[in-house]
Amino acid sequence: MTEAVFVPGKRKYVFCSDQEGIKLLFNVIEQVKEEGRPYEIFKIVENQDCLELGELLKKQKMGTHLYVALPYAELEKVRKTAEEIGFTEEETQYIGYGNKVKRIFCCRCHGMNETADVQADILCSQCGLELSISDHYSVFHNAFLGFVAKL
Amino acid sequence: MYKEKTIPVYVKAIEQENEFIRRFTLASVNEELLPKFSGGAHISTYIEHGELLVRQYSLTSNPDDTKHYQIAVRLSDTSRGGSRYWHEKMKVGDQLQISYPKNHFPLSFKAKHHVFYAAGIGITPFLSMMNELHSRGSSFELYYASKTEEACAFYDFLQEHYPNQYRFYFSNKRERINSSSLEEHPIGTHVYFCGPESFISDLTESAYQLGYPPSAVHTERFTPPQPKDMQPFNVQLKDGTLVEVARDQTLLEALLNKGIKAPYSCRVGRCGTCELQVVEGEIAHYDSFFSEDQKQSQSRILTCVSRSKSAMLVLDV
Ligand code: FES
Ligand SMILES: [Zn+2]
């Protein structure tokens, strides 16, 4: 998703973003204020882990809508955290910005790679192995697993 | 012989749960294991008593134990023969046919926490669901409304098995399930409602008002949802006969009034007995028997609950 859309009729709204991302949520925050609905803003600083955010999300009750606006590379970490707590697709909007690169870690050498084209296989920049990109996201690496493309 | 494949069973035990509710334990006539089922499942029971009585009951027994099934039958004041037969005629040892278990009310596998809201006999589907969650070690709670403590089915059972997971509400003590409890459920909760129509629709509305996503709200109706605004329509039969269906009448009633031998049994859109073929016209389906695909095909109607969207429906009878 590239633009946050105001979803009316929720009991509460939680916004989670960094300095830059908050601009992408500005319109929705204004609408929430206009409707007089409760809301909360959680600021993420660069390379912060999700522990504190997780604590905040766990406290939310049913009927809460979550907006997250972060650089693409940071988005997955938060998505994973929110999903584990129980936020479903219907209750969340993730807005990425910046370079649409995916981080891929190599299954053999654990080297980190970046790619913009997630359809194509890549060559690991560190060990040269040809990698296919999986859906398996690792919080630890903040990257998707690249597995052996040709056996 | 029947609309679906059935299993011959016999009544192994009958227990009086309270003044209005009896529990029946059913076992296969050849002492074989019965099919497995999942929490929230129900069966259709087929009883021949002058006419064929087809009724649906939730399985209240432990899904892991397929030596027996158990159902709980409440004697309905408006019984059209089904619950009355179970209460007044059924004896230990009697045989009958049952369908394979079906589940229109399954547990969500995504939920982090499950909350059941039951009123009266609406408790029945939750028994197997709680059983399943309990053995999985998943977290759940039950909010259960009943007229009185005496009329509260499975009162002892619940206290014994899930001592910390229920709350009772007795209307004779002026206790009511308040929709404000919906405000307290943590994110990741799924709610399940079963009871009278108004109980289900009130809670559903409150949940949506709070902003619950539809996929987290599950309901099981024992009576069909009434279309808000019932419109009269006409049906035409193969021989050209025209039948008018009035606003406050079901298609089935209109056909029977005309002396047409239309089949039926449960009359609440759950058994499929009253199915007729539709040649022309647009059907408004209100049953809980057909699958989405079957409904979409627009070729069959359950006359006891469903109606017409178009002014005229042409039937193949
Ligand atoms: S009579 Fe049972 S579905 Fe119509
Ligand atoms: Zn590598």
Side-chain angles (χ1 to χ4, degrees), chain B residues 157-224:
Chain B
F157 176 89
L158 293 166
Q159 299 197 63
E160 186 189 328
H161 287 84
Y162 312 118
N164 303 313
Q165 280 153 294
Y166 62 79
R167 276 181 69 178
F168 293 120
Y169 298 81
F170 299 118
S171 43
N172 67 333
K173 292 190 190 155
R174 294 175 176 278
E175 296 164 346
R176 272 201 61 185
I177 290 189
N178 193 312
S179 58
S180 66
S181 58
L182 289 168
E183 291 167 21
E184 298 310 317
H185 302 322
I187 203 84
T189 301
H190 278 232
V191 289
Y192 303 80
F193 307 142
C194 188
E197 178 58 32
S198 61
F199 177 81
I200 294 178
S201 50
D202 287 355
L203 285 169
T204 306
E205 205 184 304
S206 305
Y208 289 160
Q209 247 162 38
L210 282 168
Y212 277 57
S215 65
V217 179
H218 310 264
T219 60
E220 169 93 316
R221 290 181 159 83
F222 291 155
T223 51

Side-chain angles (χ1 to χ4, degrees), chain B residues 295-308:
Chain B
K295 286 183 183 172
Q296 223 123 73
S297 82
Q298 288 282 330
S299 58
R300 300 138 81 180
I301 188 168
L302 294 180
T303 62
C304 66
V305 289
S306 296
R307 306 182 69 82
S308 180

